[in-house]
Amino acid sequence: MARFSEADDGCGPRKGVFSCDMSLIPKEAGWSQKQLVMRPAAGARPGDSGVLRYTVTAEGVSPVQGSITVIAGRPELRVNEGEDVSGLGPRDSFDAPILIRNTGDVPARGLALGLNGGGDLYPATSHRNCARLTEDGVTRCLFPDAVIAPGETWRVTPVPRFKASEHAVDPRLSYAASAYNADLKPGDLGRDPQRGDGPALRLEREPGDGGDRLFTADSGPATIDVPVTNSADFVARGDSLSGKVGAERKVSIGYVNNGPGDPNVAKVRAVFTVPPGAKVVHAPYDPELEEEEWEQHCLTDDGGRTYVCDGNTKVGRENLFEFTLRIVRKDSRPGSVAVTAEVVRDSGNTRLPDQRPGNDKAAVRLTASGPAPAADTDSGGLVAWTASAGAAAVLGAGGVLVMRRMRREPSADPGSRHISNASSVPSDEAGD
């Protein structure tokens, strides 16, 4: 026996009939859903079951009858907390033992195991009862014949093995198990083109039911950090502007990550030192960041002499930031763009090695024409200003700015604007 109660959507039983008004909407917009809440009646024990028969009626169509078997209680599957892995290089492999324990009050009859490597970790072996669901490494493995009784712990065998991609820097592996349900059928993998063709993963009873191993507190996934020793070639992108004193010009500065390292979360900063003969009129501004109360991508704390900009680290993506500058004096000394990156997820926030440091800095050149204002003769103040800007750039290369890594495509492709790919700033004109 079961007790029926009203759900949050207002549907409930009335005189033995479960009645609920609903409007069907197009499938592409999502179907309307109504809930029927059932709870075991007094005296029911875990595992007791019954058949619920129902009839669905709607005006203008024939009634539809069906039934569903309801079981009191539920299986609750937990997985072991894994240990972080270290000492790996790109394309190296490692083992990740996975144990599954049923902490519920009824057996789990069939289960699904989800694996997610975040695009940097992939199963090293293609198992025929597993299928890759997405290109970024989400894999599902089905065990339709498995039965795990309450309190039992089983081990996945052979031990799942994973491989790091050539771009991996700070990947994280997550895994979780769920009891079999109507949405996961054995035939699902047979229709999946990404299904593996190697030996199947199996489940074996774990002696001692896991002993003192630590398991997740709920049905959520366990995670393993897998830092990979890798490097990335960050290339600074400079620009140039020219015009008469008083004219305003746009420049686009930034950087591109030529890889191979592609950190998921990093402190990446491009320090833009404004040419001494120019002044920033408009800095990059994103109204969406303002609306979400997040910091803008480019910030200054010295009155606009230097700006620190953050962006995306994805390999091959050019991250450009557009500034509007006003030419204020005839001064041919260039500004610069300097880029650095640190790995955030590791405990030491280590600098991401760059095998080609010579292109980490680029010039922002200024060619001014027209009469020079009288203020331009104050060379002492100008030299002091330039020295301050150069010091800010040096300090900026070692500072900290947390970047929010987003693997979504930007709303506009900054690479569509043509800019000059300025070479590294020569030491005799960099001003640092």
Side-chain angles (χ1 to χ4, degrees), residues 72-278:
R74 61 181 298 172
E76 297 283 354
L77 299 184
R78 307 289 185 260
V79 293
N80 62 300
E81 296 282 6
E83 297 182 359
D84 293 345
V85 178
S86 60
L88 292 182
R91 300 185 179 181
D92 283 351
S93 300
F94 66 97
D95 291 334
I98 298 178
L99 279 66
I100 303 172
R101 174 180 292 174
N102 183 5
T103 62
D105 48 16
V106 297
R109 301 184 184 279
L111 63 90
L113 175 66
L115 309 167
N116 187 354
D120 290 319
L121 300 172
Y122 299 91
T125 302
S126 177
H127 302 284
R128 63 173 176 269
N129 60 333
C130 301
R132 182 183 297 180
L133 303 184
T134 66
E135 290 302 318
D136 60 358
V138 177
T139 299
R140 183 179 67 195
C141 303
L142 300 184
F143 304 83
D145 300 324
V147 178
I148 302 181
E152 290 184 351
T153 301
W154 291 61
R155 175 182 293 271
V156 179
T157 185
V159 176
R161 190 167 181 80
F162 297 87
K163 184 177 182 179
S165 72
E166 63 177 326
H167 303 298
V169 174
D170 54 350
R172 175 174 290 172
L173 174 67
S174 63
Y175 52 91
S178 60
Y180 221 63
N181 57 62
D183 295 328
L184 300 174
K185 305 180 182 65
D188 288 350
L189 291 183
R191 297 192 301 269
D192 197 316
Q194 298 297 320
R195 180 179 180 181
D197 55 6
L201 288 175
R202 308 182 309 278
L203 293 179
E204 293 181 354
R205 182 72 183 272
E206 176 70 6
D209 287 321
D212 58 355
R213 296 291 295 271
L214 182 64
F215 286 77
T216 54
D218 52 34
S219 59
T223 59
I224 299 176
D225 286 336
V226 189
V228 175
T229 302
N230 208 340
S231 63
D233 177 24
F234 283 92
V235 182
R237 292 289 196 239
D239 204 347
S240 62
L241 67 157
S242 62
K244 295 182 179 180
V245 174
E248 295 185 0
R249 296 289 186 268
K250 292 182 178 181
V251 295
S252 292
I253 61 90
Y255 60 89
V256 62
N257 178 10
N258 284 340
D262 186 4
N264 285 292
V265 182
K267 297 173 184 177
V268 181
R269 51 189 297 130
V271 179
F272 172 35
T273 301
V274 182

